Amino acid sequence: MSETLQLDGQLPDDALGLRLDQALAQLFTDYSRGQLTKWIKAGYVSVNNHIVSRPRESVNGGEQIIITATIEAVDDSWVAEAIQLDIIHEDDDVMIINKPAGMVVHPGAGNHNGTLVNALLNHSAQLETIPRAGIVHRLDKGTTGLLMIAKTLQAHNSLVSQLQERTVLRQYQAIAVGVLTAGGTVDEPIGRHNIDRKRMAVTGSGKPSVTHYRVEQRFKAHTHIRCNLETGRTHQIRVHMAHIRHPLLGDSVYGGRFKFPKGVNEQTREAIKGFNRQALHAGLLGFIHPKTEQEVSWQVNMPDDMQAMLALLAQDTD
């Protein structure tokens, strides 16, 4: 599905000598320079009634600008479904969702229904006109916690730009296997695994990835940690913690061969065995609101399964 967006305006006189993409970024501040550059190259930008497709073209100031852009929104195969959402906040521009474990974010192979996208399209029909139904970042199926949804194109551009500029606050809580002596930072590039393309890995050809972690509580053979992301690569925390040999509890993809820690009691042993997702929760999310330009943030508690697991680990350690 797609929609047509039309913008018009006049460049100010002091735009003299600027590149077209620079001048448009100053005129249409709701859209990133990168997005405007794409529209120029696609032939969507008219300057004094002439299509200009070179972003580097100089302007004189005073030109009349018309942008008629085709924006691809949601996939035509995505359908609305009446699925309950845990909405933490909603206004005219953004929504904050608390995603449960087991919910896939986007429809895909083997997951055409029951996803967050299906639920969002049912909740708000206007999201049909927003790229990817307003979802600007994602959480893995087994990860719980906060996701931000853009309800307008302007909000979508703002949130995407903030993610790219690494200014969005994203804090996670996790349970790592093994006892960490102190917090630290993992600064290692992440890319596709060279053999298993469904997995990610630390690789020299990957994209820069930075995870900061600190110790919240140590147990007999596990550690409760809090992680802050500078970047947002696929499976980033899971890959980085596995890379330093402290994979997340319950992570069947990156955890390696499953082994019970020595000396745990039978109750804890059974709980660990039955914990069938990575112990990871996106508990704190903050950004600059696209409309008010004020700092906003939300926080949600860990789900019951992680809280119960921490309680068991603490009891077993005592």
Side-chain angles (χ1 to χ4, degrees), residues 157-172:
N157 170 70
S158 173
L159 296 179
V160 168
S161 295
Q162 290 182 59
L163 283 166
Q164 292 172 342
E165 294 165 4
R166 304 185 183 183
T167 58
V168 175
L169 172 62
R170 286 174 293 171
Q171 189 177 91
Y172 293 71

Side-chain angles (χ1 to χ4, degrees), residues 99-114:
K99 188 189 85 66
M103 175 178 272
V104 175
V105 173
H106 291 102
N111 293 291
H112 296 291
N113 305 104

Side-chain angles (χ1 to χ4, degrees), residues 168-244:
V168 175
L169 172 62
R170 286 174 293 171
Q171 189 177 91
Y172 293 71
Q173 295 196 58
I175 304 173
V177 176
V179 180
L180 286 152
T181 57
T185 296
V186 185
D187 185 354
E188 297 286 353
I190 291 176
R192 290 287 171 187
H193 194 283
N194 59 357
I195 297 175
D196 185 352
R197 305 303 288 177
K198 293 182 180 179
R199 298 176 60 192
M200 308 301 287
V202 168
T203 171
S205 60
K207 295 181 179 179
S209 309
V210 181
T211 303
H212 306 283
Y213 64 92
R214 74 168 187 250
V215 172
E216 293 291 306
Q217 189 174 5
R218 298 179 186 87
F219 305 106
K220 186 180 295 182
H222 297 84
T223 308
H224 175 200
I225 59 173
R226 196 178 298 267
C227 301
N228 283 79
L229 296 183
E230 277 194 32
T231 53
R233 309 304 176 201
T234 301
H235 301 171
Q236 179 173 317
I237 294 174
R238 299 166 63 190
V239 172
H240 272 169
M241 295 311 297
H243 179 70
I244 64 172

Side-chain angles (χ1 to χ4, degrees), residues 17-295:
L18 292 179
R19 292 166 36 135
L20 178 59
D21 56 352
Q22 294 173 325
L24 293 188
Q26 293 182 8
L27 182 62
F28 302 109
T29 56
D30 284 338
Y31 301 91
S32 68
R33 183 170 163 184
Q35 180 64 73
L36 292 163
T37 297
K38 290 179 182 178
W39 288 343
I40 295 169
K41 291 180 178 179
Y44 294 159
V45 177
S46 168
V47 181
N48 287 341
N49 295 318
H50 294 285
I51 298 296
V52 177
S53 57
R54 293 181 64 249
R56 298 174 63 88
E57 192 86 14
S58 295
V59 300
N60 297 315
E63 292 95 331
Q64 192 67 35
I65 305 295
I66 298 176
I67 300 176
T68 307
T70 300
I71 299 176
E72 295 300 323
V74 302
D75 190 311
D76 287 335
S77 66
W78 295 353
V79 296
E81 292 184 71
I83 301 170
Q84 185 174 357
L85 289 170
D86 184 3
I87 300 173
I88 303 301
H89 169 83
E90 182 173 14
D91 57 40
D92 292 339
D93 301 279
V94 297
M95 291 175 61
I96 307 298
I97 304 294
N98 184 18
K99 188 189 85 66
M103 175 178 272
V104 175
V105 173
H106 291 102
N111 293 291
H112 296 291
N113 305 104
T115 72
L116 179 60
V117 163
N118 301 119
L120 288 172
L121 293 177
N122 178 74
H123 175 77
S124 179
Q126 76 183 80
L127 294 176
E128 293 183 3
T129 64
I130 309 299
R132 304 179 75 81
I135 296 172
V136 295
H137 65 134
R138 56 181 295 174
L139 295 176
D140 299 333
K141 178 180 178 180
T143 301
T144 59
L146 296 172
L147 276 167
M148 54 186 176
I149 313 297
K151 295 179 65 177
T152 67
L153 288 172
Q154 291 84 353
H156 187 272
N157 170 70
S158 173
L159 296 179
V160 168
S161 295
Q162 290 182 59
L163 283 166
Q164 292 172 342
E165 294 165 4
R166 304 185 183 183
T167 58
V168 175
L169 172 62
R170 286 174 293 171
Q171 189 177 91
Y172 293 71
Q173 295 196 58
I175 304 173
V177 176
V179 180
L180 286 152
T181 57
T185 296
V186 185
D187 185 354
E188 297 286 353
I190 291 176
R192 290 287 171 187
H193 194 283
N194 59 357
I195 297 175
D196 185 352
R197 305 303 288 177
K198 293 182 180 179
R199 298 176 60 192
M200 308 301 287
V202 168
T203 171
S205 60
K207 295 181 179 179
S209 309
V210 181
T211 303
H212 306 283
Y213 64 92
R214 74 168 187 250
V215 172
E216 293 291 306
Q217 189 174 5
R218 298 179 186 87
F219 305 106
K220 186 180 295 182
H222 297 84
T223 308
H224 175 200
I225 59 173
R226 196 178 298 267
C227 301
N228 283 79
L229 296 183
E230 277 194 32
T231 53
R233 309 304 176 201
T234 301
H235 301 171
Q236 179 173 317
I237 294 174
R238 299 166 63 190
V239 172
H240 272 169
M241 295 311 297
H243 179 70
I244 64 172
R245 300 186 179 181
H246 288 283
L248 301 190
L249 173 69
D251 194 339
S252 60
V253 176
Y254 299 104
R257 189 177 67 173
F258 182 80
K259 295 185 296 183
F260 283 110
K262 294 180 180 179
V264 296
N265 63 39
E266 188 61 29
Q267 184 182 12
T268 305
R269 183 185 180 93
E270 288 302 309
I272 292 172
K273 185 178 178 181
F275 203 94
N276 56 5
R277 70 174 183 93
Q278 64 271 7
L280 184 61
H281 173 68
L284 177 61
L285 176 66
F287 52 86
I288 302 299
H289 193 282
K291 178 62 67 68
T292 67
E293 298 184 350
Q294 299 296 309
E295 290 185 3

